[in-house]
Amino acid sequence: MADLSNIKEHAEVIGADGVHVGTVDRVEGDRIKLTKKDSGAEVEGAESSHAGHHHYIDGGLVAEVEGDTVRLSANADVAVTFETEEDGSAI
């Protein structure tokens, strides 16, 4: 797992394939909280009922942090299947 302390607010989160997954709101513990405006909304196949509120990405999926970009170890379409709600439940 990459050092989550290097993740900046409003950094872009992308899958290993370079596809946009979301935008960082902030890091909470070992999870990345995505902004409401694009949590799950940008990735093909994301259900609209899960758009418009915060989703979280487990820090264990972070492959690297470079500047304003957080690259995940999974492709975007796979990474969104690991997103969780605020209470940690699966989406």
Side-chain angles (χ1 to χ4, degrees), residues 7-8 15 19 25 27 29 33 45-47 49-50 55 57 59 65 67-68 71-73 83:
I7 297 175
K8 299 175 184 176
V19 175
D25 186 43
V27 175
K33 182 178 185 180
E47 295 182 33
S49 64
H50 294 294
H55 292 166
I57 298 283
V65 179
D68 292 329
R71 182 175 299 275
L72 304 178
S73 58
E83 286 184 3

mmCIF file of all heavy atoms in Angstrom, residues 7-8 15 19 25 27 29 33 45-47 49-50 55 57 59 65 67-68 71-73 83:
data_model
loop_
_atom_site.group_PDB
_atom_site.id
_atom_site.type_symbol
_atom_site.label_atom_id
_atom_site.label_comp_id
_atom_site.label_asym_id
_atom_site.label_seq_id
_atom_site.Cartn_x
_atom_site.Cartn_y
_atom_site.Cartn_z
ATOM 1 N N ILE A 7 -1.529 11.860 -0.179
ATOM 2 C CA ILE A 7 -2.708 12.132 -1.011
ATOM 3 C C ILE A 7 -3.242 13.512 -0.688
ATOM 4 O O ILE A 7 -3.486 13.858 0.464
ATOM 5 C CB ILE A 7 -3.790 11.061 -0.787
ATOM 6 C CG1 ILE A 7 -3.262 9.697 -1.237
ATOM 7 C CG2 ILE A 7 -5.071 11.430 -1.532
ATOM 8 C CD1 ILE A 7 -4.202 8.540 -0.957
ATOM 9 N N LYS A 8 -3.429 14.306 -1.747
ATOM 10 C CA LYS A 8 -3.893 15.685 -1.601
ATOM 11 C C LYS A 8 -5.397 15.769 -1.852
ATOM 12 O O LYS A 8 -5.954 15.025 -2.663
ATOM 13 C CB LYS A 8 -3.185 16.585 -2.606
ATOM 14 C CG LYS A 8 -1.689 16.631 -2.438
ATOM 15 C CD LYS A 8 -1.057 17.440 -3.534
ATOM 16 C CE LYS A 8 0.463 17.412 -3.415
ATOM 17 N NZ LYS A 8 1.095 18.111 -4.527
ATOM 18 N N GLY A 15 -7.917 4.475 -12.186
ATOM 19 C CA GLY A 15 -7.634 3.056 -12.157
ATOM 20 C C GLY A 15 -6.291 2.771 -12.806
ATOM 21 O O GLY A 15 -5.663 3.657 -13.400
ATOM 22 N N VAL A 19 -8.361 5.266 -16.265
ATOM 23 C CA VAL A 19 -9.737 5.761 -16.303
ATOM 24 C C VAL A 19 -10.092 6.411 -14.963
ATOM 25 O O VAL A 19 -9.789 5.869 -13.896
ATOM 26 C CB VAL A 19 -10.729 4.617 -16.622
ATOM 27 C CG1 VAL A 19 -12.173 5.088 -16.555
ATOM 28 C CG2 VAL A 19 -10.427 4.044 -18.003
ATOM 29 N N ASP A 25 -11.924 13.709 -1.654
ATOM 30 C CA ASP A 25 -12.435 14.706 -0.724
ATOM 31 C C ASP A 25 -11.424 14.827 0.403
ATOM 32 O O ASP A 25 -10.956 15.903 0.722
ATOM 33 C CB ASP A 25 -13.818 14.291 -0.212
ATOM 34 C CG ASP A 25 -14.472 15.357 0.650
ATOM 35 O OD1 ASP A 25 -14.398 16.537 0.280
ATOM 36 O OD2 ASP A 25 -15.050 15.000 1.700
ATOM 37 N N VAL A 27 -8.670 11.942 3.099
ATOM 38 C CA VAL A 27 -8.328 10.606 3.578
ATOM 39 C C VAL A 27 -8.870 10.483 4.998
ATOM 40 O O VAL A 27 -8.682 11.373 5.826
ATOM 41 C CB VAL A 27 -6.798 10.379 3.569
ATOM 42 C CG1 VAL A 27 -6.441 9.035 4.188
ATOM 43 C CG2 VAL A 27 -6.266 10.470 2.148
ATOM 44 N N GLY A 29 -8.643 7.736 7.915
ATOM 45 C CA GLY A 29 -8.043 6.479 8.361
ATOM 46 C C GLY A 29 -7.316 5.806 7.215
ATOM 47 O O GLY A 29 -6.415 6.390 6.617
ATOM 48 N N LYS A 33 -11.924 9.085 0.943
ATOM 49 C CA LYS A 33 -13.299 9.550 0.779
ATOM 50 C C LYS A 33 -13.360 10.325 -0.532
ATOM 51 O O LYS A 33 -12.614 11.276 -0.741
ATOM 52 C CB LYS A 33 -13.679 10.454 1.954
ATOM 53 C CG LYS A 33 -15.103 10.961 1.915
ATOM 54 C CD LYS A 33 -15.378 11.799 3.161
ATOM 55 C CE LYS A 33 -16.811 12.224 3.237
ATOM 56 N NZ LYS A 33 -17.063 13.031 4.466
ATOM 57 N N GLY A 45 -21.175 1.801 -16.015
ATOM 58 C CA GLY A 45 -21.720 0.688 -15.258
ATOM 59 C C GLY A 45 -22.034 1.026 -13.818
ATOM 60 O O GLY A 45 -22.652 0.242 -13.114
ATOM 61 N N ALA A 46 -21.633 2.213 -13.344
ATOM 62 C CA ALA A 46 -21.958 2.592 -11.968
ATOM 63 C C ALA A 46 -23.447 2.886 -11.882
ATOM 64 O O ALA A 46 -24.019 3.528 -12.751
ATOM 65 C CB ALA A 46 -21.154 3.830 -11.556
ATOM 66 N N GLU A 47 -24.082 2.381 -10.851
ATOM 67 C CA GLU A 47 -25.513 2.573 -10.701
ATOM 68 C C GLU A 47 -25.804 3.983 -10.230
ATOM 69 O O GLU A 47 -25.183 4.483 -9.310
ATOM 70 C CB GLU A 47 -26.070 1.560 -9.699
ATOM 71 C CG GLU A 47 -25.943 0.137 -10.183
ATOM 72 C CD GLU A 47 -26.529 -0.849 -9.203
ATOM 73 O OE1 GLU A 47 -27.510 -0.506 -8.522
ATOM 74 O OE2 GLU A 47 -26.007 -1.965 -9.135
ATOM 75 N N SER A 49 -28.160 5.160 -8.484
ATOM 76 C CA SER A 49 -28.627 5.265 -7.100
ATOM 77 C C SER A 49 -27.469 5.438 -6.129
ATOM 78 O O SER A 49 -27.671 5.822 -4.987
ATOM 79 C CB SER A 49 -29.445 4.032 -6.711
ATOM 80 O OG SER A 49 -28.633 2.886 -6.734
ATOM 81 N N HIS A 50 -26.260 5.164 -6.595
ATOM 82 C CA HIS A 50 -25.103 5.312 -5.724
ATOM 83 C C HIS A 50 -24.322 6.581 -6.037
ATOM 84 O O HIS A 50 -23.314 6.846 -5.396
ATOM 85 C CB HIS A 50 -24.184 4.093 -5.846
ATOM 86 C CG HIS A 50 -24.826 2.855 -5.337
ATOM 87 N ND1 HIS A 50 -25.134 2.682 -4.014
ATOM 88 C CD2 HIS A 50 -25.264 1.750 -5.966
ATOM 89 C CE1 HIS A 50 -25.720 1.508 -3.856
ATOM 90 N NE2 HIS A 50 -25.799 0.930 -5.026
ATOM 91 N N HIS A 55 -18.509 8.050 -1.491
ATOM 92 C CA HIS A 55 -18.070 6.662 -1.541
ATOM 93 C C HIS A 55 -16.635 6.637 -1.060
ATOM 94 O O HIS A 55 -15.944 7.651 -1.061
ATOM 95 C CB HIS A 55 -18.150 6.107 -2.967
ATOM 96 C CG HIS A 55 -19.532 5.945 -3.471
ATOM 97 N ND1 HIS A 55 -19.811 5.738 -4.789
ATOM 98 C CD2 HIS A 55 -20.736 5.974 -2.841
ATOM 99 C CE1 HIS A 55 -21.114 5.631 -4.947
ATOM 100 N NE2 HIS A 55 -21.695 5.786 -3.779
ATOM 101 N N ILE A 57 -12.771 4.461 -1.027
ATOM 102 C CA ILE A 57 -11.868 3.488 -1.638
ATOM 103 C C ILE A 57 -10.884 3.045 -0.560
ATOM 104 O O ILE A 57 -10.276 3.885 0.119
ATOM 105 C CB ILE A 57 -11.069 4.115 -2.813
ATOM 106 C CG1 ILE A 57 -11.991 4.579 -3.924
ATOM 107 C CG2 ILE A 57 -10.008 3.154 -3.329
ATOM 108 C CD1 ILE A 57 -12.529 3.509 -4.812
ATOM 109 N N GLY A 59 -7.591 2.063 1.133
ATOM 110 C CA GLY A 59 -6.212 2.467 0.870
ATOM 111 C C GLY A 59 -5.346 1.353 0.326
ATOM 112 O O GLY A 59 -4.334 1.605 -0.322
ATOM 113 N N VAL A 65 1.018 7.294 -5.466
ATOM 114 C CA VAL A 65 0.539 8.669 -5.404
ATOM 115 C C VAL A 65 1.612 9.525 -6.045
ATOM 116 O O VAL A 65 2.771 9.499 -5.618
ATOM 117 C CB VAL A 65 0.296 9.123 -3.946
ATOM 118 C CG1 VAL A 65 -0.175 10.561 -3.902
ATOM 119 C CG2 VAL A 65 -0.682 8.190 -3.251
ATOM 120 N N GLY A 67 1.977 13.451 -7.240
ATOM 121 C CA GLY A 67 1.413 14.787 -7.358
ATOM 122 C C GLY A 67 -0.071 14.795 -7.032
ATOM 123 O O GLY A 67 -0.476 14.417 -5.939
ATOM 124 N N ASP A 68 -0.872 15.212 -8.006
ATOM 125 C CA ASP A 68 -2.321 15.304 -7.826
ATOM 126 C C ASP A 68 -3.057 14.108 -8.406
ATOM 127 O O ASP A 68 -4.242 14.214 -8.756
ATOM 128 C CB ASP A 68 -2.844 16.591 -8.479
ATOM 129 C CG ASP A 68 -2.360 17.833 -7.737
ATOM 130 O OD1 ASP A 68 -2.158 17.748 -6.509
ATOM 131 O OD2 ASP A 68 -2.183 18.880 -8.373
ATOM 132 N N ARG A 71 -3.134 6.631 -8.269
ATOM 133 C CA ARG A 71 -3.338 5.510 -9.182
ATOM 134 C C ARG A 71 -3.624 4.258 -8.363
ATOM 135 O O ARG A 71 -2.904 3.928 -7.430
ATOM 136 C CB ARG A 71 -2.124 5.273 -10.072
ATOM 137 C CG ARG A 71 -2.339 4.133 -11.078
ATOM 138 C CD ARG A 71 -1.173 3.974 -12.033
ATOM 139 N NE ARG A 71 -0.933 5.141 -12.840
ATOM 140 C CZ ARG A 71 -1.566 5.415 -13.990
ATOM 141 N NH1 ARG A 71 -2.491 4.607 -14.426
ATOM 142 N NH2 ARG A 71 -1.272 6.485 -14.675
ATOM 143 N N LEU A 72 -4.696 3.571 -8.743
ATOM 144 C CA LEU A 72 -5.077 2.340 -8.063
ATOM 145 C C LEU A 72 -4.426 1.133 -8.722
ATOM 146 O O LEU A 72 -4.009 1.204 -9.883
ATOM 147 C CB LEU A 72 -6.600 2.190 -8.076
ATOM 148 C CG LEU A 72 -7.389 3.357 -7.469
ATOM 149 C CD1 LEU A 72 -8.888 3.110 -7.594
ATOM 150 C CD2 LEU A 72 -6.998 3.579 -6.022
ATOM 151 N N SER A 73 -4.372 0.026 -8.015
ATOM 152 C CA SER A 73 -3.770 -1.189 -8.546
ATOM 153 C C SER A 73 -4.749 -1.988 -9.401
ATOM 154 O O SER A 73 -4.357 -2.942 -10.064
ATOM 155 C CB SER A 73 -3.258 -2.067 -7.400
ATOM 156 O OG SER A 73 -4.322 -2.389 -6.521
ATOM 157 N N GLU A 83 -15.730 -0.159 -3.893
ATOM 158 C CA GLU A 83 -16.119 1.041 -3.155
ATOM 159 C C GLU A 83 -17.083 0.656 -2.044
ATOM 160 O O GLU A 83 -17.854 -0.294 -2.163
ATOM 161 C CB GLU A 83 -16.788 2.060 -4.080
ATOM 162 C CG GLU A 83 -15.826 2.759 -5.000
ATOM 163 C CD GLU A 83 -16.486 3.843 -5.840
ATOM 164 O OE1 GLU A 83 -17.699 4.092 -5.671
ATOM 165 O OE2 GLU A 83 -15.795 4.432 -6.669
#
